[in-house]
């Protein structure tokens, strides 16, 4: 897979992520308010849809589903959500998550038709990358809602923050070791050995977090780790953490 094509796939995935995450009006590729990057991504999507499906109907379906996604997302009012989030405290966390988590899950489900529409436009490997990126959204919602926002309050713990800052060089060392090894990798053809290096990176980060008495914070990194597993052959070699829904706003790992 060429770097140019991989860059487009990341942009395509990000476009879908943003359309679900904030309801950005991307359904009109000629809008003067859109960035040139977005317009170019849509033009390239049109070409890919034509090349992979043999007609322009697949692209038309994508555009129609984008509009449908926007209508679906409009049912979630993001402004009061962020206002209430800014006021979040131990006293308000239970009613906040009881109210918003079911709504967030409904908003996330708005992406399903769009993902289905995009599939005919991409080959299997490329679709796996886009699907992996978009898969970050429901994972992030579940992490946010777990135990009434437990992860948010851990991130505000002064001792954890102080330890993390002091250990920053060690976290950077974990990343540099991985990057030096993975520089020439081909994402769509990762071997079992290379996937082992991916899991070693996670282990390295978790060891540092455990030293800071915050091993659960690895779940934030896992949003991206699991996306990488989903979009590469590592899905055949590496088991992702499983979750079981307990109620409307809490999950447990199993």
């Amino acid at each position: 897979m060429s770097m140019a094509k991989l860059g487009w796939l990341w942009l395509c995935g990000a476009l879908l992520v943003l359309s679900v995450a904030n309801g950005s009006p991307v359904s009109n590729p000629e809008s003067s308010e859109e960035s040139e990057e977005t317009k170019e991504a849509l033009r390239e999507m049109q070409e890919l849809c034509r090349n992979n499906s043999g007609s322009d109907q697949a692209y038309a379906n994508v555009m129609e589903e984008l509009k449908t996604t926007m209508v679906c997302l409009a049912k979630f009012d993001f402004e009061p959500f962020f206002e209430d989030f800014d006021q979040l405290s131990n006293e308000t966390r239970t009613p906040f998550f009881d109210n918003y988590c079911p709504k967030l899950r409904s908003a996330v489900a708005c992406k399903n038709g769009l993902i289905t529409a995009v599939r005919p436009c991409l080959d299997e490997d490329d679709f796996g990358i886009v699907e992996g990126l978009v898969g970050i959204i429901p994972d992030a919602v579940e992490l946010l809602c777990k135990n009434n926002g437990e992860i948010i309050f851990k991130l505000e713990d002064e001792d954890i923050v102080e330890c993390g800052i002091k250990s920053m060089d060690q976290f950077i060392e974990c990343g540099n070791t991985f990057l030096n090894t993975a520089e020439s990798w081909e994402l769509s053809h990762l071997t079992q050995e290379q996937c082992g290096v991916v899991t070693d990176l996670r282990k390295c980060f978790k060891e540092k977090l455990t030293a800071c008495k915050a091993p659960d914070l690895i779940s934030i990194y896992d949003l991206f780790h699991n996306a990488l597993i989903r979009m590469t052959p590592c899905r055949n070699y590496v088991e992702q953490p499983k979750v079981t829904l307990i109620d409307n706003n809490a999950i447990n790992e199993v």
Side-chain angles (χ1 to χ4, degrees):
M1 182 183 297
S2 68
M3 290 302 296
K5 188 176 184 182
L6 180 58
W8 177 84
L9 288 168
W10 277 97
L11 183 57
C12 178
L15 180 66
L16 295 174
V17 168
L18 290 172
S19 72
V20 174
N22 62 20
S24 300
V26 298
S27 59
N28 179 8
E30 301 304 322
S31 171
S32 59
E33 297 179 359
E34 293 173 4
S35 68
E36 286 302 317
E37 290 84 359
T38 299
K39 292 178 183 178
E40 181 61 24
L42 290 173
R43 283 192 289 266
E44 292 192 24
M45 180 184 289
Q46 183 175 24
E47 183 178 349
L48 275 179
C49 288
R50 182 184 299 120
N51 292 340
N52 281 282
S53 69
S55 75
D56 288 322
Q57 185 58 48
Y59 179 73
N61 292 342
V62 170
M63 292 297 99
E64 189 62 32
E65 283 297 336
L66 275 170
K67 295 176 184 178
T68 301
T69 300
M70 297 306 111
V71 172
C72 181
L73 287 168
K75 298 175 183 177
F76 185 93
D77 194 341
F78 285 89
E79 185 173 349
F81 169 78
F82 286 114
E83 290 176 354
D84 291 345
F85 188 85
D86 286 340
Q87 303 300 318
L88 192 61
S89 67
N90 269 318
E91 290 72 28
T92 64
R93 62 190 288 186
T94 297
F96 175 89
F97 289 101
D98 282 347
N99 178 34
Y100 284 112
C101 284
K103 296 177 181 178
L104 283 169
R105 291 190 180 102
S106 294
V108 167
C110 293
K111 70 179 175 57
N112 295 342
L114 184 57
I115 299 303
T116 300
V118 167
R119 186 158 205 159
C121 299
L122 303 171
D123 63 32
E124 183 178 352
D125 288 340
D126 294 348
F127 180 75
I129 292 177
V130 172
E131 190 175 38
L133 287 173
V134 177
I136 291 174
I137 304 172
D139 289 352
V141 169
E142 296 305 332
L143 179 58
L144 178 70
C145 291
K146 182 180 180 180
N147 297 332
N148 289 326
E150 179 182 6
I151 196 73
I152 297 170
F153 291 89
K154 284 191 175 183
L155 285 170
E156 295 179 348
D157 184 288
E158 292 182 0
D159 291 337
I160 293 176
V161 171
E162 182 179 356
C163 181
I165 293 173
K166 290 181 178 179
S167 304
M168 188 58 62
D169 288 344
Q170 298 177 42
F171 285 103
I172 292 174
E173 184 179 350
C174 289
N176 286 340
T177 299
F178 171 80
L179 291 174
N180 291 336
T181 303
E183 185 176 1
S184 61
W185 285 3
E186 185 78 12
L187 278 183
S188 58
H189 295 90
L190 293 187
T191 65
Q192 186 170 2
E193 181 179 357
Q194 290 169 334
C195 293
V197 176
V198 172
T199 58
D200 285 346
L201 174 63
R202 182 185 185 276
K203 289 177 184 177
C204 187
F205 283 146
K206 189 168 184 178
E207 286 174 359
K208 310 311 176 190
L209 290 170
T210 299
C212 287
K213 300 180 179 180
D216 290 349
L217 290 185
I218 194 64
S219 58
I220 298 174
Y221 172 74
D222 279 344
L223 294 175
F224 307 95
H225 172 82
N226 290 345
L228 180 62
I229 299 303
R230 284 192 298 263
M231 70 174 68
T232 67
C234 293
R235 59 185 174 270
N236 300 317
Y237 309 121
V238 179
E239 184 176 357
Q240 298 178 61
K242 297 179 181 179
V243 297
T244 301
L245 290 177
I246 302 301
D247 52 35
N248 281 339
N249 62 13
I251 58 175
N252 286 343
E253 291 188 4
V254 296

